[in-house]
Structure formats: structure tokens, C-alpha cells
Amino acid sequence: MFLLENNHFTVLAAVITSVLSVLLLLAVSRQLWTLRWTITRDRKCELPLPKGSMGWPLFGETFHWLFQGSSFHISRREKYGNVFKTHLLGKPVIRVTGAENVRKILLGEHNLVSTQWPQSTRIILGANTLVNSIGDLHKRKRKILAKVFSRAALETYTPRLQDVVRCEIAKWCSERGSVNVYAAAKALTFRIAIRVLLGLNIEESHLNYLSKIFEQLMDNLFSLPFDVPFSGLRKGMKARDTLHECMEKIIKEKLQRPQSEGYSDIFDYMLSSAKENGHELSIQELKESAVELIFAAHSTTASSSTSLILQLMRHPAVADRIRDELETQGLNWNSNRMQLSTSQSGKSGQAILSEGVSEGNEQDRDCRSRAATNFLAGAAGEEPFSFCHLHHLNLERLGRLHYLDCVVKEVLRFLPPVSGGYRTALQTFELDGYQIPKGWSVMYSIRDTHETAAVYQNPEIFDPDRFGSERDEGKAGRFNYIPFGGGIRSCIGRELAQVILKTLAIELLNTAEWELATPAFPKMQTVPIVHPVNGLHVYFHFLNSDTKQESPKS
């Protein structure tokens, strides 16, 4: 009996010793890991490294970051301040919040810092793209692409953009079940990129095929950089090659025919701008730029579009104020419908179309023709339907909608589609009393800066009036409001993005009513793009329609 108890004691002692040994080993290894990064500080600089934790060996704080989401940065900012160090995805990172700190990062491009994208992104998008270029190449490419997003170009895009938005909303309203707004918004922004920016008149089946190929590219854009069979990188490269093949065919056809006086697309503007700047773009540069522009216009704009609809649903008083502004500015299509029915009764939708709607591709004209017919039918009381209007938007009309402008700005402040950006330190420099060592990654936070900027009253509240003329909280500092970044790498398509959001709001408020298809609004996930967890599911139906969507199934 004594021997048995002694054996149990020996086993227990051995277990305790083993556990303590493991804990001691972990503690020592963590200290050595911290020391490993502490000694990488620039000894020529007397400033200390930022406060923070480097986590566990090799993994750093990556798992904490993945599981905790936005609360990871909030908790560490509260503990360590606006500039703190951590270790994510195999690299030491300095996380930066605050207008003045972010200002130094964004204005230090090519001098203090350089843009940093994952290797897989650089490989898939290509070396000639704007996001991957640096120095003089970046300046030259940005100068060429500036014409693609000039005011003249936006005026060209807006009518066709409005047609695409209108047709997509009609589809949403025609669905008998609920619509996943985020998925629908991604389909919408892809269609805008293809039909409006690239000016492609392709069959619907081929458009859907390209959309799936592009989704495959996006799904693998941030993958491990291993070019082996069945890897994410290989799948992304295959999707890119398919898109390039399609673009190359279109580009060659365009180069072989003379410049038309009709609709101008991004290829027209890029070729014209390059010629003006004494540069001839290769087909490789053109197709890489085309895919990059789809990438730039796709996920972030879909995210913002979803956030816009979410906030209109959460704040019906805001939606009502936009409707009042549309009424005041004569942009309420419902009122125009009744006037139209009185003066144009008896005419076909196609006849009215030819009188008041600009030309476009065959699908656009067909969509507007069907909409015009339904429009008059609704005015006559045959089938209530306040969908079509005969006046296209333009930049001057959009510019008169001051409250809508405030709403769009507040959506982008409250839920910026991208939470921040990464840079690499080109040299050791000072930030907020700390040294940022050469070679370390620097992440500036857009979302945290918006949430903590002292210029905003009650930043946790969605309040479009903060951007109104009476308060104009955004005027206090340029870098307190950075949904599109800043400096020489600010989003070159920011004006187009805002035109898309305003057009979506106008068409949606003039066309549809909606109701949430779930018991509660979804939570928002912030990595890598802001989007609703499990989607935002909504029932849409046409204004004044007696036919409501099916109720959610129990």
C-alpha cells in the first residue's frame, strides 16, 4: 500500500515537474522572442521602440488579431496609446492612429515609407499596376490614370452608370425572396466596372462567367506566395490569365479601329493621356490596368454601398430627409411620373425613350424601354410602378444635393470600407516620441482615427449633420477624415466612388421600399473589407406596389 501511494506521488511529482518545465520554457522563449525584436531597434536613434507586445515566438499576436477582430486594436490602443508595436503575419508591425501620426505616414511616401502589399497580391495584379509601382513609375502611371477619373470622364460615365444601377435595383425589387445586399452590391459594382468603365457590350452569360472568374481572383489575392498546384496563388494567377486573355482581345480590337465620337471608356482615356504625356502603353500595361481598376472599384465600393443601405435602413429619418431634398431639387422620379403620364399618355415606352433618354448599348436601351413602359403603366393605375424617369443625372445635379453629400461622407466616416493601410519604413524615423525602425511594417488606421478624432462630436453616433455647413466637423484637419487615404497614394477613384454611392441612394429612394429579412441587423466584420457578418438580407419592393415580398420562412 505504501509502495502504491509512493508511486502515485512520484507520478504526480513528475507531471508537476513537466508542466512547470513547459511553462518555464514558454516563458523563457517568449522573453527571448521579445528580446529578439528589442535588439533590432536602431541604436543610432536614442528614442525607444513603441510600447506593446510581440506575442509568442513565430506566431506573434496573429491569432489574437484574427479572433478578436477590431477589439484587438481597441484594447491595445487603450493600453499602449496611439502608436504601439505588435507582431502579425510573420512581421513586426507598428500600429498608428491619430491625424498627425497618420499625416506623417501618408505624406512620407517614397521618403520615410514605401507602399507594402503581400507578395501574392503583387504577383497576381502584376508589376505594371499603380498599386505596385513606386517612385517615378508611380508618378507617371498616376498622371496617366488621372484622366480616367477627371470631371470630363465622370460626366461621360454618369448616364450609363445610372442605367446600370437602375436595372440592378429593378432586379432586387423583382425578387420574390430576400436579397443578400452585400452579394448584390458586389454584382452591381462588377457590372459598373465592365459596362461603364471598360465600356464592354458583352452577353449576360459571358458577364456572369467573368464575374465568377474575378471572384476567384479576389478570393486568392491575399494567399500564401507558394506557386504550387492547387495553391491559392496558382488559382489567382489562373483567374488573372483568363481575364487578361479577355482584355487583350478587346484591346486589340479597339486599337485596330479609329477613335469613335461616341462613348469613351477607360481605354480611350488611358491611350489619350499616355499620348499627351509622350508615352505609349503596351497591351500588357493596358490589360493589367483594366484588371486593377476592376479590383479597385469592386470590393470597396460594394462595401460602401452595403453600408449606405444599412444606414438608410437603420435611420429612416435620414432617408426621408434625402427624399425631401430630391423633391426640392426636382429629382423625385415619382412626381415626374405623374406629370409624364398626363402629357405623354398613349405613347409607347420606346417612343418616350427615344425622346428623353440618351443612347447606350442594346441591353441598356432594352432595360430603359421596359422601364418606361412599366413607368407609364404605373401612372395609369394598371400596375403601380414608380421606376423609370426620363432625365439622366449629371455632376451639376448631384452637386446640388448637399444633404446627400453629408450622408455619403458620414457613411464613409462611420464605416470606412478599408480599416487601414500598410507601409514599410525606408529609414528610421520618429513618431509620437518613439522610433520606427527601418524595415518594420507600419499600419495606419483609418477606422480608429475616425473614431478617436477630437473634432467629431459623439463619433460613435451616425450623424450626417456633422458635415453640414453649420458644423462642418471635417474642416478642422485634413487627416481627421481619410476614408480614401491621403498623400500621393490617395484613392484615385474617390470621386467616382462618391458618384456611385449618390446615384445608388437616389435610384433606391425613388424606386423602392424595403424591410429587413432577419430579426436583427447584422454585425459588421472589418477584416479585410468591412461587410456584414452572414450578409445583409433585405426584402425590396417597388414604391406604391401592392405586391409585397414573401415573409421570411420560419
Side-chain angles (χ1 to χ4, degrees), residues 140-141 144 270-282 285:
R140 175 172 61 79
K141 293 193 72 64
I144 290 173
M270 281 195 293
L271 290 168
S272 172
S273 182
K275 187 176 181 181
E276 291 173 3
N277 288 279
H279 179 73
E280 185 174 345
L281 292 172
S282 66
E285 286 179 297

Side-chain angles (χ1 to χ4, degrees), residues 33 53-64 86-90:
W33 175 253
S53 170
M54 303 305 285
W56 294 97
L58 301 179
F59 299 106
E61 293 193 300
T62 300
F63 292 122
H64 295 83
T86 183
H87 194 281
L88 303 174
L89 298 174

Side-chain angles (χ1 to χ4, degrees), residues 24-52:
L24 179 61
L25 180 62
L26 288 174
V28 171
S29 64
R30 180 159 182 163
Q31 290 299 318
L32 291 174
W33 175 253
T34 300
L35 178 63
R36 179 256 185 274
W37 292 110
T38 301
I39 62 178
T40 62
R41 66 180 298 276
D42 189 340
R43 298 188 179 276
K44 297 178 183 178
C45 179
E46 296 182 355
L47 295 172
L49 286 170
K51 298 177 181 179

